[in-house]
Amino acid sequence: MKTFRKILLGEEFNRATASIIAILIGLLVGFLVLLISNSAEALAGFKIILSGGFSTGAKGMGQVLYFATPLILTGLSVGFAFKTGLFNIGTPGQFIIGAFAAVYIGVTCTFLPAPLHWIAALLAATIAGGLWALIPGILKAYLNVHEVISSIMMNYIGMYLANYLTKSTIYDIRKAQSLNVADSAVLPKGGLDYIFYNDLGGVKDLSTVNSGIWIAIVVAILIYFIINKTTFGYELKACGFNQNASNYAGINAKRSIVLSMVIAGMLAGLGGGLLYLSGASGRHLKVVDMLAVEGFNGIPVALLGLSNPIGIIFSAFIIAYITQGGNYLQTLNFAPEVIDIIIACIIYFSAFALYFRKLLPFLIKKGRGDRQ
Amino acid sequence: MGMEYIIEMLNITKSFPGIIANDAITLQLRKGEIHALLGENGAGKSTLMSVLFGLYQPENGVITKAGKEVSINNPNDANNLGIGMVHQHFKLIQNFTVLQNIILGVETTKNGFLKMDEARTKVMALSDQYGLKVDPDTLIEDITVGMQQRVEILKMLYRDNEILIFDEPTAVLTPQEIEELMKIMKELAGEGKSILFITHKLNEIKSTADRCTVLRKGKYIGTVDVQTTSKETMSEMMVGRKIQFTIDKNPSIPNASHFEVRSLTVSSKRSAKKAVNNVSFTVKKGEILCIAGIDGNGQSELVYALTGLGPIESGQIFLNGKEITKMSVRDRNVLGMSHIPEDRHKDGLILDYTLAENLILKKYFTPEFQDHGFIKFNATHTYADRLITEFDIRSSQGSKTMARSMSGGNQQKAILAREINNDPEILIAVQPTRGLDVGAIEYIHKQLVEQRNSGKAVLLVSLELDEVMNVSDRILVLFEGEIVADLMPAETTVQELGLYMAGSKRKEVVL
């Protein structure tokens, strides 16, 4: 019993449990919305959400991974910035500019051979995202302009710029979306085509998922090491916690702020590249006046993963899974807007994870006190 | 029997993970007395007061008021029982006026509108009655720390509190302000208020308090009558061993000039006057040079300029004959400049880093602690453990303790350990004993003298007259950014020093 309580009060357990409880509460709220909007089909709808990607077999699970890929990157972007004391709300802008850069290279630079082509496109996405965050970083470090304000501004500039550039350079007017990237720019399947497909009478109905998910996981592990094991991460975190003390220790705090922002932007930009370099069946740039959802969803992913890169991998999976399940609600009689509301409720209530993390040890202790 | 006490805390026990902060502690406060609560940092004083103020719930023990048992679950309960507290770090809203701060939470209103006139009359009456001079319409950010404290006291009086808790009230005050506060406290007690006075400064207890309760390491040691108990006895009760109030040290044998400042001028952010004006001095090897002065006379700006943290307007700085005026903070550190900063929370520590991470704050980039950009955690913890033993840094979880959860004295020891272990050519110590108890002060003074004995140059910036007189080999007095006196401690008195510090005396300084 004693060791059991020790585990219960342990830091790691507390973290994971808090996130899980938060998701459960998010689901509960989602269920309430289902009940209110269409009580007759609420239970059936809830089942569909819970079965998530599994509703449509192996391909569906592949799709979950495909949509989790950009979320891991934008989640890392937000989480990394959190760890270094910054709130990067500029992920939608960085993400879409990265996506445009990748697609542009993917469509135009056809002279590049296969591995080089998609690598170049991803590099372009990463650099573009980084540049997009450089501006808020410099404004924050040297002029003390809050990064939230400048990042939001950059979001809109990024969205309209990506729209304009897409329309004027790589636009397919017939389909009202960006042109397909060259085959050499499509990310390889990385062995995933052997797992995530549905068998349609001997024909493989492949999921869109590709090696992007592997890249996302590797990047998450890389970020974990940078934050926790390197002097570079030590400096960035120090500046996030206490800029004065960092200056006192001889760390260039201004440079650290700019670098933190740029790295966060690079991560979001890479996320854009990974999502859009996925061939004809994958995502295409659409010219719409809407900030990229994948960008903003990085915030709940980071919160739910408590800014821990490994936690972020899992929280991105969960959020992609629920979003995917939510999309299948269309088979029932739910208005598309309601589906969005339900998904948003689940995701954002889950983001209260941080709150539960504080509450949990308190509740356990209180329970113990009552028994005595 | 119990009726003679206005507040009794009996057998209070409160523990935190890994530590019993209060172990069956009893504290009895008589009506109209000033009762000092004495103990080292981490002795459990603040915890006990937080229990009384309703911030913590004790696991055991009872609190009674005028003989009746009461339960205090939050600061509102405490307030309803007439208990008020001036916290060490003031709880004031910077961009509110004095009056707005005083009435905050107990505003008088009519139909939902504030009625400030009534409040103003009451505040001014209290201000007159107790000699607590304040300007009700000034913003908090524009007034001195001493005046902010008066606002805190007025807040308690405005709420008609009878039991007033002062948590280390003198830590932030100048000598003159301390004297003023002592007078006010006596007046309050004379008017029938009961005062609990948390401190570790024996002089203040001796001059103000009636009785004194001593805590050590979470345990109750005893309650004594201040008049009949000597300072030595009280300090022995507090620390558990005899304390030396003066420092044994041999005369300094200054060596070659080592750290030199030439015509340093720093412009002020607030006024056209220079914060530091044409200051020149040298610190020799094997010497403790002290910069004395009242707070706000340019000490911070001077130190920031010397350490590279702040800008300079003109002048030069040399270490070991090498000009460092334009060097970065990192380069200065590597060259042998160590700095114990004035504000350990703002500059000295990263509170959300562990003790070990803080101990390598100025060394993490050296080959000793990093390899190809990766931090060597084993080396870090071995190093931290060594410093923890060597400097007797106490914490609940050793090198893995968060700096935030450590007591002030141990935080300061950690900074001291880090800075001394950098093997400095010049050690700049700014108010190194601020807010510390006698045991820790004694320890830090010894370390400074040891550094000097081993041939290091030490620049001590201090506001404490005792410290200035006891520790230094030579004293420079800074007044309004200029050096107004160059004195030897043996040839001067505290009174004379005070006159220089207040600017009413001035000596042509030949350097």
Side-chain angles (χ1 to χ4, degrees), chain A residues 229 231 234-235 237 242 248, chain B residues 339 353 357 364 373 375 419:
Chain A
K229 305 286 179 199
T231 52
Y234 177 89
E235 288 180 354
K237 272 190 300 178
N242 185 343
Y248 159 83
Chain B
H339 173 200
Y353 266 179
E357 285 171 318
Y364 67 89
I375 293 182
E419 297 307 308

Side-chain angles (χ1 to χ4, degrees), chain A residues 225 228-239 241-252 365, chain B residues 309 329-330 333 339 341 345-347 349-350 352-353 357 360-362 364 370 373-375 377 418-419:
Chain A
F225 273 99
N228 294 306
K229 305 286 179 199
T230 66
T231 52
F232 181 57
Y234 177 89
E235 288 180 354
L236 296 186
K237 272 190 300 178
C239 292
F241 286 134
N242 185 343
Q243 213 177 314
N244 289 312
S246 305
N247 280 324
Y248 159 83
I251 298 168
N252 187 338
K365 268 186 201 161
Chain B
L309 288 166
V329 179
R330 170 69 46 87
N333 289 342
H339 173 200
H345 289 173
K346 184 177 151 223
D347 290 326
L349 291 170
I350 292 175
D352 296 303
Y353 266 179
E357 285 171 318
I360 60 161
L361 192 58
K362 286 187 174 173
Y364 67 89
Q370 66 88 22
F374 283 87
I375 293 182
F377 284 97
R418 181 181 72 209
E419 297 307 308

Side-chain angles (χ1 to χ4, degrees), chain B residues 150-167:
Chain B
R150 291 205 280 277
V151 175
E152 285 281 9
I153 298 172
L154 278 170
K155 259 167 76 177
M156 296 194 295
L157 297 174
Y158 187 80
R159 286 158 178 74
D160 298 317
N161 289 327
E162 306 161 32
I163 298 127
L164 314 181
I165 307 170
F166 288 84
D167 188 1

Side-chain angles (χ1 to χ4, degrees), chain B residues 205-380:
Chain B
I205 295 179
K206 221 37 192 161
S207 72
T208 328
D210 300 305
R211 295 192 307 147
C212 174
T213 292
V214 186
L215 307 183
R216 191 201 312 149
K217 291 181 185 163
K219 290 211 164 57
Y220 175 75
I221 303 299
T223 302
V224 295
D225 183 69
V226 171
Q227 287 307 314
T228 57
T229 313
S230 72
K231 275 204 296 191
E232 285 71 21
T233 315
M234 283 193 274
S235 74
E236 213 180 315
M237 288 174 77
M238 163 167 73
V239 187
R241 63 184 168 88
K242 287 209 189 308
I243 287 283
Q244 254 180 302
F245 283 95
T246 49
I247 299 139
D248 285 332
K249 66 178 185 10
N250 305 318
S252 106
I253 315 158
N255 230 311
S257 155
H258 197 58
F259 182 67
E260 189 179 355
V261 177
R262 282 189 208 152
S263 319
L264 187 73
T265 299
V266 180
S267 50
S268 168
K269 271 179 209 152
R270 268 159 283 165
S271 70
K273 248 183 132 253
K274 307 290 179 209
V276 177
N277 196 359
N278 199 24
V279 163
S280 303
F281 61 85
T282 58
V283 192
K284 297 192 174 74
K285 280 190 179 190
E287 177 186 54
I288 299 180
L289 176 69
C290 179
I291 307 263
I294 295 169
D295 200 9
N297 273 287
Q299 292 96 327
S300 307
E301 289 86 351
L302 174 65
V303 169
Y304 269 51
L306 297 181
T307 52
L309 288 166
I312 68 167
E313 197 178 289
S314 60
Q316 289 171 300
I317 308 162
F318 296 88
L319 179 57
N320 252 344
K322 193 170 178 189
E323 177 161 6
I324 59 165
T325 320
K326 293 205 166 65
M327 273 191 185
S328 70
V329 179
R330 170 69 46 87
D331 288 342
R332 288 178 212 224
N333 289 342
V334 172
L335 205 66
M337 179 183 277
S338 276
H339 173 200
I340 299 171
E342 177 181 356
D343 188 332
R344 55 178 164 262
H345 289 173
K346 184 177 151 223
D347 290 326
L349 291 170
I350 292 175
L351 293 172
D352 296 303
Y353 266 179
T354 62
L355 175 55
E357 285 171 318
N358 271 292
L359 287 171
I360 60 161
L361 192 58
K362 286 187 174 173
K363 277 190 164 181
Y364 67 89
F365 52 87
T366 60
E368 191 182 350
F369 298 111
Q370 66 88 22
D371 184 21
H372 293 93
F374 283 87
I375 293 182
K376 293 182 183 167
F377 284 97
N378 287 337
T380 303

Side-chain angles (χ1 to χ4, degrees), chain B residues 118-138:
Chain B
E118 266 176 40
R120 180 185 299 269
T121 320
K122 185 173 174 189
V123 168
M124 293 322 285
L126 287 169
S127 160
D128 284 344
Q129 189 185 347
Y130 295 100
L132 293 157
K133 286 189 277 305
V134 292
D135 176 359
D137 300 313
T138 324

Side-chain angles (χ1 to χ4, degrees), chain B residues 429-446:
Chain B
V430 190
Q431 296 192 50
T433 58
R434 183 189 215 175
L436 302 188
D437 54 75
V438 283
I441 290 174
E442 181 196 44
Y443 181 81
I444 284 171
H445 285 169
K446 269 191 183 157

